[in-house]
Amino acid sequence: MTNPKRALILGDGAAGTILSNKLRLLTNKEELEIVVIGNSRQHYFKPDGIQIPFSLKPYRKSVKNPAFLFNSGINYIRDEVIRIDIAQRFVTVKSGKSYDYDYLIIATGNRFTPEDVPGYEGEAKHFYDLQPTLALKEDLARFNGGDIVVGQSSIPIQCPPAPYEFTFLLDQYLRERGIRDKTNIHYIYPLNRVFTMSTVAKFIDELFEEKGIMTHTLFNVDNIDSKNKRVNSIEGESVNYDMLILVPPHRGQKVITESGLADELGYVDVDRHRLTYAGNDDVFVIGDATNLPVSKAGAAAHFQSGYLSHHIASDIGGAAYEEQYNGECACTTVTGKDNAITLFFSYDRPPRSNFHSKSDFLLKWTSADTYFSGMVRGIM
Amino acid sequence: MAEETKPTKIIDARGSYCPGPLMELIKNYKQAKTGDVISLYSSDSGTKTDAPAWIKKSGNELIGVYDRDGYFEIVLKKTRQ
Ligand SMILES: Cc1cc2nc3c(=O)[nH]c(=O)nc-3n(C[C@H](O)[C@H](O)[C@H](O)COP(=O)(O)OP(=O)(O)OC[C@H]3O[C@@H](n4cnc5c(N)ncnc54)[C@H](O)[C@@H]3O)c2cc1C
């Protein structure tokens, strides 16, 4: 009997975990060894970051031990990847070991780089990771009125709708606390509309107007003047704040750049339909680590994992897999009290958004359960 | 435009989707000096309206928007300090 091939998966977040579990369901141990290397201490379901600050959800429901999320028959190694050598076909980790592969899958996500915005650190707050989200919850509880500025410092960010989702929930929270009339909510956005996808932007814009949320478009954050409590844009505009909630800039992981695989922002340029890197048939990149023109979303990682697991399983079985990844994604996003919209889109099909509903809202509210019980396990 | 202004920098963002080309323009703008001329190539039709809107808002000069063979060229002069 021949030795099993090895799929080496880098990253233990949404993409790496879903892919490895899907692959395990589609292949057996005699034909494929699955090794996942990841350095996360907890697997945090980041979409809950819009609910936790408003006490809509206890954070403990949103975190799990990553080791418990892998199906049996997967070799999970907790370590940090420090070098990826595609020419020599191996990966080195911090503890000194090296691993070779038959299939390499990079799923290392991205990191925050607040240092890219002068004045950010120590001044701006955000809801993009668990600790800052919990801190924001405390800050909001102490807030008693004034100007709140919400936005993002740059593009791309994970989950592009999250800033507007958060803004809707902020509006609701302030109303429930009886301080909405004492608060101005300012929403800043880099483009000349309130969201990248123009079909959705129109819809959100109307809802913002209904709720009295002030918008400042074509606002690309240049710096934060913490002394005067002012956020300044490259375009020469300024907005004053009492509280600034700004999604920090994102870049790809350092190891991607240091291994020579990155574009300027640290993301990997991959084949749009095959998810391969630079003509290598055995090197794939999925999730937030890519520079694909799709949202950096767990939902996108989920669709990519579906495609890639079938591709690898077919390759092992010796059958050609003719399907291509077409940029498919489906995201449910909150649009106010008890309402949400589900956006379906792909590379050449923009999303439609003519209505929002309570049933979509329920879908969003139960998404952590769906994620941890089904999606992450590879059975959905 | 009577005479074509020679760009100081050409950004070839063809093949990248919205908002990629505009973000490229803004990034390069940040690094440019006053008086520099930046030319942006884009095959995404959204850029044709988004980039001029941004140039106007940011208080710089839009030299022109040109239909080229299968793409657009948008030329900006950095006039702000
Ligand atoms: C506030 C918020 C709301 C969101 N809402 C939604 C939503 O509603 N729907 C949706 O679909 N998506 C949403 N997302 C986005 C979603 O969480 C991400 O797109 C998703 O987590 C991407 O998965 P990933 O595996 O590519 O990256 P990650 O989940 O970030 O995982 C990357 C993993 O790689 C590991 N890693 C990195 N570098 C190394 C290294 N050198 N060595 C070893 N391991 C390494 C990290 O520890 C991490 O575990 C949201 C995100 C945020 C922040």
Side-chain angles (χ1 to χ4, degrees), chain A residues 11-15 39 46-47 81 108 128 159 253 287-288 296-299 364:
Chain A
D12 55 356
N39 67 347
K46 294 183 239 183
V81 179
T108 42
Y128 258 55
C159 194
Q253 301 292 354
D288 292 352
K296 293 199 181 300
K364 179 82 182 187

